[in-house]
Amino acid sequence: MNRFSEIKEAVTSKKLAQYILLPTSFFLPFSVAMANDEIDTLMDMSLEDLSRASVTLTSVAKKEQSLKSVPAAVHVITAEQIRRSGARSVPEALSLAPGIHVSRLSETNWAVSSRGVNEMLFNKLLVSIDGRSVFNPITSGVIWENLNIMMADIDRIEVLLGPAGTMWGGNAANGVINIITKDADQTRGLYTELMFGGEDHEELNLRLGSKVNQDIDARLSFKAIRSAYSTEDRGDWRSYNTNLRVDHSTSNSEVTFQLGAYNTDIHTESSTSHFSVMAPTSMAYDEYSRGYFGKLNIDTELNTGMLSINLWSDKHDLNYEYFKGNYRNWDLDIYYRLPVFDESELTVGGGGRGTKSEVVPIVSGFSMNRAPVETRIYSDLEQTYQSYNVYGQLETDLTERLTSYVGVKVEYFGLVDRYEWLPQARFSYDYSPSHQFWVGLGRAVVTPSMVDTASTMFDFNVEQLTENQSSLDSTIVRGEQNLSTESVVTLDMGHRYYMSSTLSTSTTLYYSHYDNVRGIAYDHAMYQLPPPVDPWYLSPMEFYKYTDQIEANTWGVELATFWQPRSDFRFNVNYSFRQAKAKCKQAGLCVDEFISETRTRQPNHMISAQTMWDVTDTVQFDLVYKYIHGKNNGFAHDGWDKISTLDARLAWQQKQDWPRVEVLVDGVFNDHGYYESNRSAAYRLDRQVYVKAVWMMQ
């Protein structure tokens, strides 16, 4: 069987059936070629071979589908790109895609955003693993340190930029990151990986895969990491993750069952000196987060189309100094895809999600000898709510070159007792075999979280100036129960150009309007009460509340280029530009520092580049370059640094059944430390060296 036939057979499996329904996933450049066992052989294929496979693949419904004609900004990070980048975590791998801003907050924690202002819990990006959402419904956003899956299990990461509410629902406002793991039949045998390096990093990855019988394959994966943990103080971070996957395949159906669990423990210590107590005061913090999930996916071919059923449930416990709580979800999504008329295909579906969450009251670190920072968060609210949705999308070949995608989802959000319409319309025009133009218009929403609506935060920030004099800033920020739903309407358009079999480009322009954006406002109602005082320091407090009275506009451009000048050398380069403007709809309400450009001053020029060079049959040398144009607003402890950093990977494997040894260097030319995030909450990055050994036995 030739290589193209192998790819065609592989992608007609359930993977394509599950993701072909996304309005923005029809363009999967060359990564679908990873859907069989011969990964190394497929990665040697030229761009022409790989793009041809993505154009003419046949779905499970036995319909020829032009993948590259779909009108959306989709970028795929392949397993080969991830491995050869040296990425140790999902956020590190995401920096290989345009439009994604990745900044490190500590050795193990990250802030990731798409087309927007970056913050630790970015609430406008939906992240999923094999279709299971890892979005935190209590605080909104993703806690990336808990997304510690085994990198060798990832088949590809699909980065979908722009609103995707029609197929993905709430919180897919600026895009979707879908992490797709390998089928069990791709991971047979024993896989062992050891890594040691900077910041006391120690990592073990183990995987055992087996063919149970003619129809069933299974694998069990385990990952353990120990490393330093730092925000302002030194500490120790340990993480354990295990996953079980079982695939049952027949000629017309596939069933996938997954179980997984994680446990993260953090221990930090700090020492502070006070004039009232001359000896240093030690404060130790022990934090943890734990969770588990189960997932069932069924894809079956019927006489008239393809039926997919996806069911998952999870539970998470979070015990941090700044947040304590737990939540659990169940989720059901059913959709049916069938041809209608002569030139159209209809997808109809629906589902629901139930969430039970609780925020535990916190009194964090108060000390009678005047500790520098004291924080209290109170909320005793426990909530149980459901969300339901129905959706449909019609794909029509209007002409031989023009294709339309029109769809809408109606979703009920139980937390805020509100219905939302999430429509989209997109068009693709194939000007020639080498040129494709597309345009799209869509709407998506972000629902308020429990922290936004039902929490109250007390913040006491004490700085002792002399033995008898101290400076105190005391604030209270309370939730607002009647917050409106954040919404975004985005118009984007793009062009793809296949110049030759070794060179291709992708260009996207976008403009987004946001309404009811989450922010901080003055709590004028509290200021009308008699002036309160702090009982310990007799200092007045400041009162704030969450608000939805902010609107914003963003616009930008995203460029991606693939170049393969030689069969043993590949080059990917991305450039992104973004600009954001925000304002408060009610004069005198919003706190200026939370919306003004002089305070956010976030980078708006970003470049990433990756080279992959097969020096010989046994040696690989790869580089990853990242540039972020930071902005300094004149404050020594604020603003963003300008980043220009180069990472390198050197790998050697004498024979296929020998261990592979890799040396990874982060920040090759960075003689001095640098910061990837805002300096007010930044973690200094220094040059680090890691050594990795990988051994695979079939």
Side-chain angles (χ1 to χ4, degrees), residues 465-675:
L465 304 177
T466 67
E467 183 176 356
N468 299 314
Q469 183 181 7
S470 63
S471 173
L472 171 64
D473 293 322
S474 301
T475 61
I476 295 180
V477 182
R478 66 179 179 89
E480 175 60 55
Q481 294 184 352
N482 298 317
L483 290 179
S484 300
T485 302
E486 292 187 56
S487 66
V488 57
V489 177
T490 297
L491 172 67
D492 51 3
M493 59 188 68
H495 171 247
R496 296 187 180 98
Y497 181 31
Y498 291 90
M499 190 175 300
S500 68
S501 62
T502 59
L503 182 62
S504 67
T505 64
S506 174
T507 304
T508 302
L509 301 172
Y510 67 89
Y511 176 85
S512 299
H513 175 74
Y514 300 83
D515 200 9
N516 305 322
V517 178
R518 177 181 63 181
I520 302 294
Y522 293 107
D523 196 345
H524 294 299
M526 295 297 294
Y527 278 115
Q528 295 175 1
L529 300 175
V533 294
D534 175 75
W536 291 281
Y537 298 100
L538 300 178
S539 175
M541 295 184 180
E542 296 181 349
F543 291 92
Y544 304 98
K545 65 178 180 178
Y546 286 102
T547 183
D548 54 14
Q549 294 298 305
I550 298 174
E551 63 179 4
N553 298 303
T554 64
W555 58 93
V557 59
E558 296 150 355
L559 306 174
T561 299
F562 171 81
W563 182 38
Q564 187 175 356
R566 296 163 46 109
S567 61
D568 57 2
F569 185 84
R570 279 163 285 170
F571 182 76
N572 295 278
V573 61
N574 305 308
Y575 168 75
S576 302
F577 169 80
R578 65 181 181 186
Q579 186 67 45
K581 294 289 184 181
K583 67 177 182 179
C584 190
K585 293 186 288 186
Q586 185 175 341
L589 177 65
C590 300
V591 180
D592 290 340
E593 66 178 13
F594 286 90
I595 63 172
S596 65
E597 183 183 5
T598 58
R599 294 292 292 178
T600 57
R601 301 288 289 182
Q602 298 222 3
N604 48 23
H605 293 277
M606 296 180 291
I607 298 173
S608 67
Q610 181 184 29
T611 64
M612 294 178 283
W613 180 24
D614 298 327
V615 182
T616 67
D617 292 338
T618 60
V619 177
Q620 295 175 337
F621 182 64
D622 309 309
L623 298 171
V624 174
Y625 173 75
K626 181 163 63 174
Y627 172 84
I628 298 178
H629 184 266
K631 295 181 179 180
N632 193 330
N633 59 6
F635 293 92
H637 301 290
D638 204 356
W640 295 70
D641 280 350
K642 182 180 294 185
I643 297 171
S644 178
T645 183
L646 182 71
D647 301 337
R649 170 185 176 268
L650 180 66
W652 172 77
Q653 185 175 18
Q654 185 63 32
K655 296 182 180 180
Q656 187 173 1
D657 56 349
W658 284 29
R660 183 177 72 244
V661 179
E662 303 181 13
V663 177
L664 312 172
V665 183
D666 290 355
V668 176
F669 299 114
N670 294 107
D671 295 329
H672 304 286
Y674 64 96
Y675 300 89

Side-chain angles (χ1 to χ4, degrees), residues 300-329:
T300 182
E301 183 180 356
L302 305 179
N303 292 333
T304 56
M306 171 61 62
L307 175 67
S308 293
I309 302 173
N310 301 285
L311 174 66
W312 58 265
S313 179
D314 62 6
K315 185 180 186 300
H316 305 268
D317 291 290
L318 308 174
N319 185 41
Y320 295 105
E321 286 300 316
Y322 60 88
F323 175 79
K324 300 179 189 292
N326 62 81
Y327 65 94
R328 62 183 64 190
N329 298 300

Side-chain angles (χ1 to χ4, degrees), residues 105-106 229-235 268-270 373 680-683:
L105 303 178
S106 74
Y229 180 87
S230 177
T231 50
E232 296 179 353
D233 308 303
R234 302 297 297 175
T268 55
E269 296 182 359
S270 63
V373 178
S680 63
Y683 170 69

